[in-house]
Amino acid sequence: MPGIVGLITKLPRSQAEPQLLKMLASLQHESFYTSGTLVDEQLGVYLGWVVRRNSFADGMPLASEKGDVLLVFSGENFPPPGTARRLQEKGHCFQPTAHPTWFTSMKMIPPSC
């Protein structure tokens, strides 16, 4: 079943990462699922996700235009037609035909172009 798992810990990577991978494996039980991980050992953040292949969430983690904010989520998004174009008109920079990196521009981040 698609979902997000993670640890925030002071454990060394050699102990934390196997725990993360075990949690991730418990979600990935269909051949059409794909998964990913994001680890910041310095912060003690170990994050994993399982999504349907070729779904909206398959491009995770989504990064802001500057790359200073990452978004990991579970679910889908069906914005009104023209959303990507309207964001570009407001000064946001992204490729609307690429994976939905524009999603991070919708609510959180001011334009950076």
Side-chain angles (χ1 to χ4, degrees), residues 50-61:
V50 173
V51 299
R52 285 181 166 264
R53 190 172 288 116
N54 298 318
S55 69
F56 183 82
D58 193 9
M60 289 198 295

Side-chain angles (χ1 to χ4, degrees), residues 4 16 18 25 34 40 44 49 90 94 99:
I4 299 171
T34 187
D40 187 323
W49 57 89
K90 291 181 179 181
F94 52 85
H99 229 288

Side-chain angles (χ1 to χ4, degrees), residues 5 19-30 35 50:
V5 296
Q19 289 182 27
L20 175 69
L21 296 176
K22 185 175 179 180
M23 290 187 292
L24 199 57
S26 72
L27 297 177
Q28 193 167 4
H29 53 82
E30 297 286 352
S35 64
V50 173

